């Protein structure tokens, strides 16, 4: 291979087929013309990127769609499709360090992509569309550099039948109707990983919800309005609790979509969470999941992953946020939930290294629970005040960027060097460690009070 050819991988051993080398993306402008009845997509992607080497050839992740005309900096370029990739040869090589723009016309019938973790990507609902891309589904609906370490801005325009409501990441900046079809324009200015870019289409009613200073939107089928209003009634309190614990909410808004279909699991997207009708019972039955998905806006979405190996940083924090919310709302304390989770883990095989679980196990529930327990062990070791300072410093230092487990260990070492032993035992050894005994105020003080205290002592 010529040294000027961009690698066809991001080099992530967990998803070796995903991502590409030789450039990083700055922005995606996606113009999607979609027909619900026939599941037909005609689209144009305009991708701004900067090369990290000279490029005679480079690739995007792109799955099961057909590419038409491709332009690089306005000039016709050659493109070749192979499974999962679109390889582009520009008319003239791109210099190292150069900004360049690729325009790709494409079309097809988008379908979810098979992965080791099930079907991911663009998927038809009974009467709508859901996009759930984690970790490798984004190429099912647009050409991209599909690795979380390469974040970009998104501008997404969707034109479809007028009867449907469209929700994408970011701020709705335009909506127009012409000949029975409606166009919806969204802008996501904050850097976004490709797996967190999303389109949701359905017969949705939308209502605003005030989440402190954060504009919220609820989207749902009218028939389940009462259930949605009841279950989302906790959101303002959750937002306040998490802003106190984790720092300012990182995006321009937060949208909660409830699909008419049942979903196996809810999921996070940038500035958005998507629940199935089965998760919204009107009695707060899945309140913990609502906390979990909201917490991902800080952990996973704003502070993203440098590589999939570090997935516990997303899921451990999101799971710990469930426990924090329980504690904050006067239900079971985080300490009691942590001890129960540990007891449960004791009955399961301890054969996963949470800090490097391997791709097959990266969404195993034991990562979530032991990841959260790691954070609880840190909290018990250094006390509430230092713990919440650490968490806020973490979300601040890596806001809208990406990070690794080592980054977290290094930051934590600044609070207490003995934490390195905690991380070694919980993340990089197999046997299940015991939790430190409660000598700190973690379980005795009122949680609301302890969060306030942490804030006032922030360093
Ligand atoms: Zn999660």
């Amino acid at each position: 291979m010529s040294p000027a050819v961009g690698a066809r991988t991001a080099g992530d051993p967990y998803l070796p087929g995903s991502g590409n080398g030789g450039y990083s993306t700055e922005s995606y402008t996606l113009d999607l013309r979609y027909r619900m009845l026939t599941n037909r997509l005609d689209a144009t992607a305009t991708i701004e990127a900067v090369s990290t080497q000279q490029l005679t050839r480079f690739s995007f992740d792109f799955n099961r769609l057909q590419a038409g005309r491709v332009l690089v900096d306005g000039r016709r370029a050659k493109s070749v499709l192979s499974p999962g990739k679109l390889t582009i040869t520009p008319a003239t090589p791109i210099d190292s360090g150069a900004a360049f723009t690729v325009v790709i016309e494409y079309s097809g019938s988008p379908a979810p992509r098979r992965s080791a973790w099930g079907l991911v990507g663009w998927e038809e609902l009974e009467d709508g569309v859901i996009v759930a891309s984690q970790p490798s589904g984004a190429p099912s609906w647009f050409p991209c550099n599909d690795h979380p370490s390469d974040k970009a801005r998104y501008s997404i325009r969707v034109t479809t039948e007028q009867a449907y409501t469209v929700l994408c990441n970011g701020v709705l900046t335009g909506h127009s109707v012409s000949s029975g079809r409606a166009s919806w324009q969204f802008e996501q200015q904050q850097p976004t990983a490709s797996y967190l870019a999303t389109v949701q289409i359905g017969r949705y009613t939308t209502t605003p919800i005030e989440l402190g200073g954060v504009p919220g939107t609820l989207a749902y089928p009218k028939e389940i309005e009462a259930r949605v209003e009841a279950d989302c009634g906790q959101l303002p309190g959750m937002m306040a609790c998490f802003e106190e614990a984790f720092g300012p909410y990182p995006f321009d808004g937060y949208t909660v979509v409830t699909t008419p279909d049942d979903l196996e699991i809810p999921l996070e997207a940038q500035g958005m969470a998507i629940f199935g009708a089965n998760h919204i019972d009107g009695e707060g039955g899945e309140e913990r999941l609502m906390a979990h998905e909201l917490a991902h806006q800080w952990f996973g979405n704003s502070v993203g992953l440098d590589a999939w190996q570090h997935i516990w940083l997303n899921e451990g924090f999101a799971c710990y946020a469930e426990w924090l919310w329980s504690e904050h709302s006067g239900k079971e304390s985080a300490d009691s939930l942590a001890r129960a989770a540990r007891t449960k883990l004791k009955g399961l095989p301890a054969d996963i290294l949470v800090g490097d679980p391997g791709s097959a196990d990266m969404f195993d529930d034991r990562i979530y629970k032991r990841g959260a327990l790691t954070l609880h062990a840190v909290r018990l070791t250094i006390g509430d005040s230092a713990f919440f300072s650490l968490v806020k410093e973490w979300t601040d230092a890596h806001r809208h960027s990406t990070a690794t487990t080592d980054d977290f260990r290094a930051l934590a070492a600044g609070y207490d060097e003995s934490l390195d032993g905690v991380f070694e035992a919980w993340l990089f050894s197999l046997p299940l460690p015991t939790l430190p005994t409660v000598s700190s105020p973690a379980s005795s003080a009122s949680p609301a009070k302890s969060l306030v205290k942490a804030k006032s002592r922030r360093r």
Side-chain angles (χ1 to χ4, degrees):
M1 191 167 75
S2 147
V5 174
R8 292 159 63 82
T9 173
D12 189 326
Y14 281 41
L15 277 93
S18 290
N20 305 273
Y23 65 89
S24 68
T25 59
E26 301 279 302
S27 71
Y28 292 86
T29 301
L30 306 177
D31 182 11
L32 312 172
R33 283 99 51 200
Y34 183 67
R35 294 200 179 270
M36 289 287 311
L37 270 181
T38 51
N39 185 37
R40 167 77 189 187
L41 176 66
D42 288 280
T44 308
T46 303
I47 303 169
E48 293 183 316
V50 175
S51 61
T52 54
Q53 62 172 76
Q54 197 199 36
L55 287 173
T56 54
R57 206 160 76 207
F58 60 93
S59 52
F60 290 113
D61 298 289
F62 193 56
N63 198 53
R64 284 191 45 174
L65 296 165
Q66 291 81 49
R69 199 167 61 131
V70 176
L71 302 175
V72 176
D73 289 334
R75 294 179 66 188
R76 205 53 198 262
K78 208 176 103 186
S79 67
V80 177
L81 271 175
S82 54
K85 297 283 178 188
L86 178 69
T87 302
I88 295 171
T89 306
T92 52
I94 296 164
D95 289 339
S96 180
F100 63 102
T101 303
V102 185
V103 177
I104 300 164
E105 289 175 359
Y106 64 99
S107 59
S109 297
R113 186 177 194 184
R114 280 181 205 294
S115 80
W117 311 271
L119 293 173
V120 290
W122 183 290
E123 193 166 352
E124 289 177 87
L125 295 172
E126 205 61 51
D127 188 19
V129 166
I130 184 173
V131 172
S133 293
Q134 191 183 36
S136 57
S140 68
W141 62 286
F142 68 105
C144 54
N145 190 27
D146 194 23
H147 192 263
S149 60
D150 188 9
K151 292 184 173 189
R153 298 186 305 277
Y154 281 76
S155 171
I156 306 178
R157 178 184 175 87
V158 179
T159 305
T160 193
E161 285 86 335
Q162 186 186 344
Y164 294 89
T165 298
V166 176
L167 300 127
C168 297
N169 318 95
V171 178
L172 175 66
T173 57
H175 175 236
S176 59
V177 177
S178 168
S179 316
R181 293 176 63 76
S183 290
W184 305 74
Q185 176 75 47
F186 293 85
E187 302 293 335
Q188 174 73 57
Q189 288 299 325
Q190 290 85 11
T192 299
S194 48
Y195 83 88
L196 294 168
T198 198
V199 175
Q200 307 293 326
I201 307 176
R203 297 183 190 269
Y204 293 129
T205 296
T206 59
T207 43
I209 179 170
E210 192 54 45
L211 305 171
V214 179
T217 305
L218 305 178
Y220 50 85
K222 186 79 183 164
E223 309 85 80
I224 59 167
E225 182 164 52
R227 275 155 59 189
V228 171
E229 278 178 358
D231 283 7
C232 291
Q234 298 283 12
L235 270 177
M238 263 178 209
M239 182 64 88
C241 170
F242 289 173
E243 286 204 296
E244 187 85 31
F246 309 146
Y249 180 77
F251 301 109
D252 296 329
Y254 187 58
T255 301
V256 175
V257 178
T258 306
T259 63
D261 304 48
D262 287 353
L263 300 179
E264 201 177 318
I265 47 165
L267 56 123
E268 75 273 19
Q270 195 88 314
M272 190 188 287
I274 300 104
F275 294 88
N278 52 316
H279 300 125
I280 303 293
D281 61 7
E283 292 167 10
E286 300 289 2
E287 190 173 319
R288 72 172 189 93
L289 295 178
M290 200 152 284
H292 182 107
E293 302 309 328
L294 177 59
H296 271 311
Q297 302 304 323
W298 286 265
F299 309 105
N301 298 11
S302 171
V303 181
L305 299 178
D306 199 50
W308 286 110
Q309 175 193 332
H310 313 295
I311 186 74
W312 83 273
L313 287 170
N314 289 10
E315 301 305 345
F317 269 111
C319 180
Y320 197 58
E322 298 171 23
W323 301 349
L324 287 175
W325 170 248
S326 170
E327 178 170 298
H328 179 86
S329 55
K331 296 183 187 131
E332 206 170 341
S333 72
D335 190 67
S336 154
L337 287 164
R339 285 173 201 282
R342 188 186 172 278
T343 303
K344 220 167 153 190
L345 275 182
K346 245 172 82 181
L348 299 171
D351 55 3
I352 298 180
L353 280 185
V354 176
D356 191 3
S359 61
D361 288 326
M362 73 177 183
F363 298 112
D364 190 290
D365 190 57
R366 286 170 290 174
I367 306 285
Y368 292 52
K369 297 298 191 303
R370 193 158 158 169
L373 280 163
T374 305
L375 295 167
H376 193 59
V378 170
R379 181 180 174 189
L380 292 178
T381 304
I382 63 178
D384 277 14
S385 171
F387 176 75
F388 287 106
S389 290
L390 166 64
V391 172
K392 281 191 280 264
E393 200 178 343
W394 174 247
T395 61
D396 187 49
H398 300 282
R399 187 176 167 89
H400 299 316
S401 183
T402 60
T404 65
T405 301
D406 277 351
D407 292 331
F408 189 62
R409 289 175 77 155
L411 190 70
Y415 285 77
D416 185 338
E417 281 183 4
S418 77
L419 285 177
D420 219 55
V422 172
F423 291 121
E424 209 50 50
W426 285 93
L427 302 177
F428 295 102
S429 311
L430 290 177
L432 186 65
T434 47
L435 279 168
T437 46
V438 192
S439 54
S440 78
S443 69
S444 52
S446 117
K449 208 165 131 199
S450 65
L451 295 188
V452 171
K453 191 175 71 187
K455 189 189 183 193
S456 62
R457 284 210 219 143
R458 185 178 177 186
R459 65 178 210 190

